Amino acid sequence: MWFAALLAGCSGSSGPTAADPVGPPAPIVAPAPPVVPEGVDVVFVVLDTLRADALTQYGAARPTSPNLSDFVRTATRFDAAYAPAPWTVPSTATILTGLHPLRHGMRHVGDVMPATIETLAERLAGAGWRTAAYSHNTNVSKKTGYDQGFQSFTSTDGDIFAYPNAGVLRKEVGAWFTQVGAARSFLYLQPMNCHGPYRVPKSRSATLLGRSPSRAFAYYQGPMRAILRKGDLSARAQVNARYTASLREQYDTAVRYATDEVGKLFADLEARGRYDNALIVLTADHGEELFDHGGFSHGYSLHDELLHVPLWVKLPGQRRASIVGDTVSLADLVPTVLDALAVPIVAPLGAPPPLDGRSLTPLLRGEPLPARPLLFDVDWKRRAVAQGVQDGAWKLIDIRQNYEGLSDVTRLYDHAADPDEQHDLSEAQPAKVAELQVLLTTLAKAATGEEKGALQNVLSEMDQAQLEALGYLE
Ligand SMILES: [Zn+2]
């Protein structure tokens, strides 16, 4: 019934609307009074490192996600959802704030979320939700300020590759609901099994293939290590079909395990009577390169396999599936959720637009939204320092430097004809390159705004040394 009300256009929209990010600040619309029914839980499941095309629903040939089938029948799938950055720190901060990485400033390992930023958890806690997060990614921790607004924040520390299995989340979520009872909750869950080394419990390693995946590929060993850690591009010649098939088997097996656990988690919600009325977001912070462009892992490029993420949004009371083809950003999630729940976004008069994303509720209602270009950013020395822009069919990537030794290189792709971005058209289409470079500069300038000075890295040198020891700084 709640979904029906939204369909009828009674959502009390107060988001930043469809403002062009290049243009002047959006007018602040007077907030509608909250009309959220009791017991509306908000559940975010962010599957770390899950590229969209790894899921059956997004075209994967293997049955990697059959246990999402009940969920997807009651949710809206976005076929062109994009992360603003190809790795955890900036992208997760965008999911939690609705701001672009150039504005929230979380762009490097160890960056700490500025206290001046208002997170989704803070906004929902302020509107009466109980808030809890369970992060299995050591980068998304209290130490780096992602706990802002969460009354309970459970994260793992230590070796980023020794993460817990997604299965433990069911117990943690169960314990949380037992503790809070009927109170409405915002739950943020970030399991890590799709992240290297693609860990899967032994008892589940044969679920997808009928056998355990081949071990010809070993994460950050052999050619992968030589290419990424030593910059030895000649090691690409050692990457044969057996190696990439093994990589794919390991990754897909991990995806199957992770999505099986998410399916069980949603079944638990159903058993508790909390599913139907919940607002659920299922997505990923970024994808994973599986040698698509001669590399691995993530953070090393701005190609589609790292930025195109799966996204489903299930509104409270939604009981049917729909599909949206429009290009959307993870920055849109916060305004969408706040709009759907009628939680106002307040900003001082004359302030810049409070959020970079925009509410997708029109698309959820089947109504159009004007297309918007997307700005991508990565600033990870020794992996990639680059920015990119996607505008309709066109995508431009400006590489300042990267692990391949490239510097000041521009690439242009026709995303419609070449979605895998294999054919660089920058030399053939100089006018398009020039046009998109102007767009990129304009978007980056708008996103940076006046906030820049407030953003700083406050981790101590000791923390930096610890992160380096864990292999995250190199
Ligand atoms: Zn991640």
Side-chain angles (χ1 to χ4, degrees):
M1 72 212 151
W2 177 241
F3 182 53
L6 185 56
L7 281 172
C10 304
S11 66
S13 174
S14 56
T17 74
D20 183 342
V22 182
I28 309 303
V29 180
V35 288
V36 185
E38 275 302 308
V40 170
D41 295 313
V42 180
V43 180
F44 271 49
V45 181
V46 177
L47 286 158
D48 206 298
T49 321
L50 176 59
R51 54 190 277 172
D53 66 5
L55 295 176
T56 319
Q57 292 85 357
Y58 284 81
R62 286 188 174 130
T64 50
S65 44
N67 291 308
L68 294 181
S69 56
D70 285 349
F71 167 69
V72 305
R73 274 198 286 272
T74 61
T76 300
R77 188 180 86 207
F78 290 84
D79 275 352
Y82 286 87
W87 67 292
T88 308
V89 166
S91 194
T92 302
T94 291
I95 292 170
L96 286 169
T97 64
L99 299 175
H100 192 274
L102 291 175
R103 196 126 81 97
H104 61 57
M106 302 288 287
R107 297 167 69 217
H108 316 99
V109 173
D111 280 352
V112 177
M113 183 95 72
T116 49
I117 284 175
E118 198 165 1
T119 65
L120 177 61
E122 286 173 297
R123 294 176 193 275
L124 291 181
W129 270 265
R130 300 291 303 270
T131 56
Y134 300 89
S135 162
H136 290 172
N137 189 316
T138 55
N139 280 317
V140 179
S141 71
K142 282 186 186 176
K143 194 189 268 187
T144 44
Y146 288 86
D147 63 328
Q148 275 187 50
F150 287 108
Q151 291 143 5
S152 168
F153 191 94
T154 308
S155 60
T156 50
D157 291 315
D159 183 354
I160 190 162
F161 301 142
Y163 48 76
N165 286 318
V168 306
L169 289 171
R170 291 175 62 206
K171 280 187 202 151
E172 291 175 316
V173 168
W176 169 261
F177 281 131
T178 302
Q179 185 194 324
V180 301
R184 60 184 189 227
S185 293
F186 169 42
L187 277 177
Y188 180 87
L189 313 172
Q190 189 156 345
M192 276 281 276
N193 291 85
C194 304
H195 189 292
Y198 319 124
R199 233 172 254 288
V200 170
K202 226 177 193 148
S203 62
R204 309 282 288 280
S205 67
T207 307
L208 177 68
L209 304 168
R211 57 169 171 80
S212 294
S214 149
R215 292 285 149 201
F217 168 85
Y219 194 68
Y220 271 114
Q221 302 297 320
M224 177 180 181
R225 183 179 193 84
I227 294 165
L228 298 185
R229 288 269 158 86
K230 297 179 184 161
D232 175 12
L233 301 186
S234 71
R236 283 175 175 161
Q238 298 165 33
V239 176
N240 55 26
R242 193 170 148 262
Y243 187 85
T244 52
S246 167
L247 166 61
R248 192 78 220 199
E249 285 186 7
Q250 290 180 32
Y251 183 69
D252 287 348
T253 296
V255 171
R256 173 61 186 265
Y257 167 70
T259 58
D260 279 356
E261 289 307 309
V262 173
K264 288 181 194 173
L265 194 93
F266 292 158
D268 287 354
L269 289 181
E270 177 90 62
R272 288 174 184 276
R274 304 190 84 125
Y275 179 84
D276 218 29
N277 214 22
L279 192 164
I280 298 176
V281 172
L282 176 61
T283 190
D285 56 344
H286 53 81
E288 182 79 330
E289 180 172 358
L290 305 171
F291 207 60
D292 306 66
H293 290 89
F296 306 89
S297 183
H298 46 269
Y300 293 89
S301 85
L302 290 177
H303 283 303
D304 199 70
E305 60 270 15
L306 296 185
L307 299 171
H308 186 197
V309 289
L311 172 63
W312 279 275
V313 176
K314 175 202 158 306
L315 290 167
Q318 184 169 350
R319 294 193 184 88
R320 62 175 175 80
S322 65
I323 296 173
V324 171
D326 301 55
T327 298
V328 302
S329 165
L330 293 181
D332 299 329
L333 291 176
V334 170
T336 301
V337 168
L338 295 175
D339 189 14
L341 298 174
V343 175
I345 300 167
V346 186
L349 213 62
L355 299 175
D356 294 320
R358 60 177 172 173
S359 174
L360 303 177
T361 55
L363 295 175
L364 292 167
R365 286 195 295 262
E367 294 165 8
L369 263 185
R372 284 216 309 194
L374 297 179
L375 173 67
F376 307 117
D377 176 77
V378 59
D379 186 10
W380 193 341
K381 211 178 161 204
R382 298 195 50 187
R383 289 199 178 189
V385 179
Q387 290 189 328
V389 67
Q390 192 167 314
D391 186 26
W394 291 100
K395 177 164 169 191
L396 176 115
I397 302 176
D398 257 343
I399 303 167
R400 200 175 308 155
Q401 62 175 74
N402 79 352
Y403 75 103
E404 298 171 284
L406 296 179
S407 61
D408 297 324
V409 172
T410 297
R411 298 260 161 82
L412 176 74
Y413 300 97
D414 178 348
H415 217 252
D418 177 26
D420 296 332
E421 300 171 356
Q422 297 292 334
H423 307 288
D424 173 25
L425 301 175
S426 58
E427 283 190 26
Q429 303 255 19
K432 186 49 86 174
V433 168
E435 178 194 323
L436 288 178
Q437 268 169 335
V438 170
L439 178 63
L440 195 162
T441 307
T442 310
L443 289 174
K445 220 169 154 186
T448 310
E450 303 90 357
E451 302 275 332
K452 206 178 177 183
L455 308 170
Q456 48 187 305
N457 175 352
V458 295
L459 263 202
S460 69
E461 277 177 28
M462 194 182 133
D463 289 326
Q464 295 281 343
Q466 279 171 349
L467 289 163
E468 190 159 7
L470 297 173
Y472 239 93
L473 289 185
E474 298 167 38

